Amino acid sequence: METSNTSVLTVEMNPNLELFAVIYILAFNGSDPFIMVPPDYIRDVLTYFGPYRNSEIVRYVQGVFNSSLPFYTRDDAMMALSTRLAKLNYLGNITNDTALGLDLGLFSEFARESNFEAFYRAHLKDYERPISNLSKILSRAPQWYWRLFGKRYTRFRVEASYSLRIHPHSVGENGTVYYIGFIPRDMDPSKAYGLALVVLHEFAHPFVEDFLKENFQLFKNMSYYLNEIRSELPFTTSYDLEHYGTFYNYLNELFTESMAEYIGLKCGIPEDYVTLQRLSMSVPLFPLSKFFEEYGHMEKSGMKVSEYAPIFARHMAEWATPENVSALYWEVTPVTWVHERDSILSNGKVVIVYGTSGSEKALAEFLEQIPQRGYLQGYGQAPSIVLKEVDELTPDDMKANLILIGTPETNELVERLNDRLPVKFLFNGSWTLRRSNDSVGMFFAFKITNESVISLLLNAPVPSQWGLIETIKNPWGNNTYITVIAGRDKSLIMQALQKTGYESYTLVGKKYLEIGFYMETGGVNTQNT
């Protein structure tokens, strides 16, 4: 790392990573969760490289990434291999296979024998299309790392795959910081903002690593922040030791993500989009919003991050103590489906309560199967999933994690909870919805389109045809949650289920998508009516 502010940024679909992707597509005949290109591209691969599908490197990839292995094992192996590939010159031009080692030598041999370069060049327009939006957003990033840290890398390189969902990660060495991951083909402006924030996160890691090596002592006595999120998300934090295993690792992620969002604003990413990102990431990273705010104070002071570190540490100690850190958590962290999912896995049980409509019972039976497969695939274990009508519930059931299907008309529990719901049901000839902050602290709503993210007022119109999923804390249980699922028809409910992620609620309509966040307590509502 140097102390000049001139850096070069490059963004490319890395030919070595795409070579790996082609071999991977051959190895699994175009069908695998990590493959993310459309059928016509897969057909091109299988046709062009068909004569080489029995090559030694194809069999090697089939073994290393065997589909019987857990998803995370394959993910880790893909990250390790992609790191090696991304830093090398194009393998097809390297004739000394012995110097590469056995596996990379096989890649090199395959590239030459199949004339991979001709295939790559024939698809350059496919690769270049999603790159352009991302390059424009990132162009100002290097100067901001310099301004905030006073140090630089000479080169910032985005080395991506077009075909494989490679877990985004970074490497900083020899004056170069790498983003290694993927760039999806359908890079509309909204998705470009999202990926840019991911890249900015990975670029920030080497800077933050150097910062923490020098300054961690200032923060080491505040591990109660990590203890709090371990308490609120016990399953997630025990499962993900890379991020939650030590306070150092956790603090690293907090600084890195908040820095990425701050630089994202400076690169022209709209404020509404950055706010949405911060609310989403506040669930796994507490107290992210406080870290983000601190950079504004730091910039006004004219200090670099290293100079501001003692002030930052003092402020962090003032935000909360071990005794009241839980209150801060629920003031700045939204209640989301992620909390219920974690609680379901931690407690080992969820009760799905369906309403009086026959279609609601059918949906409950469908939902019973989906989590079982998802939990088993993702975590290697599945909770007990119990289906019941309201009048079958026991006192213990009421304290458990609940998924309620139906409206106040068909589901008695939804009717009882309606006043507590941030998105309430209203009847005016038919069931409609109304956003309300009566029972929560801060409330944020966003309309999502391919082009933008738009902040909504609480009284903004709601679609007449809708599907809704929203999560609240269970008033009858301790550290359990309730998720309400309802809609005007099954297709809209299914759309909402497909869109649900880190938000507090998901609301879909015909060609309409809205997501929202609400904190349990505290704050002045920024979404006025």
Side-chain angles (χ1 to χ4, degrees):
M1 215 184 296
E2 303 175 20
T3 55
S4 166
N5 64 346
T6 303
S7 301
V8 176
L9 170 74
T10 59
V11 181
E12 73 165 348
M13 295 295 187
N14 184 285
N16 287 340
L17 295 181
E18 202 51 32
L19 170 65
F20 170 37
V22 159
I23 294 167
Y24 195 95
I25 289 170
L26 287 176
F28 297 99
N29 198 34
S31 178
D32 185 86
F34 287 96
I35 299 171
M36 61 178 193
V37 281
D40 57 345
Y41 187 88
I42 292 173
R43 283 194 298 269
D44 284 354
V45 170
L46 296 178
T47 300
Y48 184 93
F49 296 98
Y52 307 94
R53 65 170 65 238
N54 293 319
S55 298
E56 186 175 355
I57 186 59
V58 175
R59 295 195 298 273
Y60 172 83
V61 167
Q62 286 172 335
V64 172
F65 300 95
N66 192 294
S67 57
S68 65
L69 294 170
F71 186 90
Y72 61 85
T73 301
R74 303 171 77 200
D75 189 50
D76 287 346
M78 191 171 290
M79 288 175 63
L81 179 57
S82 65
T83 299
R84 297 169 62 202
L85 291 169
K87 295 187 293 181
L88 291 170
N89 293 328
Y90 171 53
L91 289 173
N93 293 336
I94 301 176
T95 57
N96 185 2
D97 294 351
T98 304
L100 290 172
L102 178 60
D103 56 346
L104 297 188
L106 292 174
F107 277 99
S108 178
E109 180 183 328
F110 179 94
R112 294 193 302 272
E113 290 184 356
S114 67
N115 194 9
F116 168 79
E117 187 174 8
F119 179 88
Y120 182 87
R121 291 188 178 281
H123 290 83
L124 277 177
K125 287 186 178 179
D126 295 328
Y127 305 148
E128 290 170 355
R129 194 174 298 115
I131 284 175
S132 58
N133 281 341
L134 186 62
S135 299
K136 291 174 186 176
I137 298 169
L138 296 175
S139 61
R140 284 186 274 174
Q143 64 179 293
W144 276 99
Y145 291 108
W146 157 253
R147 289 177 64 172
L148 294 172
F149 288 95
K151 298 178 180 179
R152 75 170 179 107
Y153 280 83
T154 309
R155 293 170 296 277
F156 288 76
R157 292 175 53 177
V158 175
E159 303 294 345
S161 171
Y162 177 77
S163 305
L164 283 185
R165 194 174 297 279
I166 296 172
H167 194 124
H169 57 289
S170 62
V171 178
E173 61 182 32
N174 300 324
T176 300
V177 57
Y178 297 83
Y179 163 86
I180 303 168
F182 66 92
I183 300 178
R185 61 187 176 87
D186 51 344
M187 280 284 284
D188 55 55
S190 186
K191 288 183 180 177
Y193 294 143
L195 183 59
L197 287 170
V198 174
V199 174
L200 292 170
H201 177 107
E202 297 304 333
F203 278 167
H205 261 304
F207 292 94
V208 172
E209 283 281 2
D210 289 337
F211 166 75
L212 281 181
K213 286 175 184 176
E214 299 171 2
N215 295 283
F216 178 68
Q217 290 297 317
L218 296 170
F219 300 90
K220 68 176 184 178
N221 293 327
M222 286 173 272
S223 59
Y224 52 87
Y225 283 95
L226 173 58
N227 294 338
E228 171 59 22
I229 199 164
R230 284 174 173 169
S231 173
E232 303 295 350
L233 298 173
F235 185 87
T236 299
T237 52
S238 64
Y239 190 85
D240 184 359
L241 295 179
E242 180 181 354
H243 295 117
Y244 302 101
T246 69
F247 182 54
Y248 181 96
N249 290 353
Y250 188 61
L251 194 62
N252 188 328
E253 287 300 312
L254 272 170
F255 271 111
T256 299
E257 176 59 25
S258 52
M259 182 63 69
E261 293 174 8
Y262 194 78
I263 293 177
L265 273 180
K266 303 299 182 180
C267 288
I269 297 178
E271 185 174 359
D272 283 348
Y273 199 102
V274 175
T275 301
L276 184 151
Q277 171 80 1
R278 185 162 61 256
L279 289 163
S280 296
M281 294 303 295
S282 289
V283 178
L285 292 174
F286 157 73
L288 182 61
S289 60
K290 291 288 189 180
F291 273 61
F292 178 86
E293 292 169 3
E294 207 67 24
Y295 297 126
H297 304 320
M298 183 191 76
E299 190 182 351
K300 288 178 182 178
S301 73
M303 297 182 185
K304 305 295 185 187
V305 180
S306 57
E307 298 170 317
Y308 193 75
I311 302 171
F312 203 130
R314 187 179 75 246
H315 289 175
M316 189 174 177
E318 293 169 352
W319 298 337
T321 66
E323 292 72 31
N324 64 14
V325 68
S326 182
L328 178 66
Y329 181 89
W330 290 114
E331 183 179 322
V332 301
T333 306
V335 181
T336 69
W337 162 250
V338 175
H339 291 96
E340 174 148 31
R341 182 189 66 189
D342 189 280
S343 183
I344 289 170
L345 287 163
S346 180
N347 293 314
K349 178 182 178 182
V350 59
V351 181
I352 301 177
V353 185
Y354 53 88
T356 55
S357 165
S359 62
E360 291 168 358
K361 182 177 181 181
L363 179 59
E365 292 170 347
F366 173 78
L367 291 177
E368 181 184 18
Q369 303 303 317
I370 300 301
Q372 286 281 6
R373 290 198 297 268
Y375 288 136
L376 285 171
Q377 183 182 37
Y379 305 103
Q381 66 182 77
S384 169
I385 301 177
V386 181
L387 272 60
K388 289 190 175 184
E389 296 181 1
V390 175
D391 57 10
E392 297 175 321
L393 295 173
T394 67
D396 284 342
D397 290 334
M398 295 290 287
K399 297 175 184 178
N401 288 288
L402 301 172
I403 296 176
L404 310 182
I405 301 175
T407 65
E409 180 181 21
T410 62
N411 192 312
E412 181 186 329
L413 274 190
V414 176
E415 182 181 23
R416 289 170 63 183
L417 287 168
N418 197 29
D419 287 342
R420 292 177 176 266
L421 296 177
V423 182
K424 302 183 186 302
F425 296 90
L426 298 176
F427 190 79
N428 185 19
S430 61
W431 288 102
T432 60
L433 302 173
R434 178 174 66 88
R435 307 175 198 87
S436 170
N437 62 344
D438 293 345
S439 56
V440 295
M442 298 184 73
F443 192 119
F444 300 84
F446 301 92
K447 180 180 177 181
I448 313 297
T449 72
N450 289 340
E451 301 298 321
S452 63
V453 170
I454 304 168
S455 179
L456 296 173
L457 299 176
L458 283 176
N459 62 355
V462 174
S464 57
Q465 299 294 316
W466 51 266
L468 172 70
I469 300 174
E470 62 180 317
T471 300
I472 62 171
K473 282 191 167 185
N474 187 342
W476 303 296
N478 183 25
N479 293 326
T480 58
Y481 299 83
I482 296 175
T483 294
V484 176
I485 300 175
R488 295 297 297 270
D489 62 56
K490 182 179 178 181
S491 67
L492 290 171
I493 293 175
M494 297 308 297
Q495 286 182 46
L497 287 168
Q498 292 167 5
K499 300 292 185 181
T500 296
Y502 278 61
E503 55 273 3
S504 303
Y505 75 87
T506 304
L507 170 61
V508 302
K510 303 293 185 182
K511 299 182 180 179
Y512 180 90
L513 173 61
E514 175 183 330
I515 65 174
F517 304 85
Y518 31 79
M519 282 66 165
E520 184 185 46
T521 60
V524 177
N525 200 313
T526 60
Q527 308 284 126
N528 296 319
T529 57

